[in-house]
Amino acid sequence: EVQLVESGGALVQPGGSLRLSCVVSEFTFSNYAMTWVRQAPGKGLEWVSSITGGGGMLEYANSLNGRFTISRDNAKNTLYLQMNSLKPEDTAVYYCVKSRSNYYRPYAYWGQGTQVTVSS
């Protein structure tokens, strides 16, 4: 069974940094695009960033203004999201999402999510 397990969420002060990780199993990680999606309290799902299987193509939501970096280590079956200059509006549950192929969409599997709270 495909598994996606996120970690790294925490309470952090505005301006701080966090690195989220998503360890996957039961599929050939390098063959699939991966995505981070977030959901803020009381709001809908928001796409954050996607990366192709080999890591050669990356895309980010314009609203991030270059503060986040997506990456992957295919040898470790792990997806990352480095988040810098965090703002209160970044508070959300962050989900790691596996695509059905090496195209970003459609999505196939979701992790359970990790909570990021940005507050002083």
Side-chain angles (χ1 to χ4, degrees):
E1 180 181 353
V2 170
Q3 290 194 339
L4 309 170
V5 181
E6 300 98 331
S7 62
L11 171 63
V12 62
Q13 292 188 343
S17 297
L18 281 176
R19 188 176 79 158
L20 306 184
S21 299
C22 173
V23 178
V24 310
S25 59
E26 302 303 323
F27 65 97
T28 304
F29 185 51
S30 59
N31 286 352
Y32 295 88
M34 298 291 295
T35 293
W36 288 99
V37 174
R38 68 185 181 184
Q39 186 168 29
K43 296 189 177 181
L45 295 170
E46 179 187 14
W47 171 73
V48 174
S49 181
S50 296
I51 185 170
T52 51
M57 291 183 63
L58 318 172
E59 291 192 13
Y60 298 94
N62 290 336
S63 61
L64 299 177
N65 292 319
R67 298 181 296 116
F68 291 7
T69 303
I70 192 171
S71 63
R72 62 194 297 161
D73 185 336
N74 287 344
K76 295 182 177 180
N77 284 352
T78 304
L79 177 73
Y80 301 101
L81 185 68
Q82 177 68 43
M83 304 186 296
N84 298 327
S85 302
L86 283 162
K87 304 176 181 181
E89 51 264 43
D90 294 318
T91 295
V93 177
Y94 285 72
Y95 296 96
C96 167
V97 186
K98 173 189 175 294
S99 298
R100 289 189 182 179
S101 70
N102 202 26
Y103 293 100
Y104 298 149
R105 298 285 188 101
Y107 300 147
Y109 292 91
W110 294 65
Q112 84 289 348
T114 187
Q115 176 70 49
V116 172
T117 302
V118 185
S119 175
S120 55

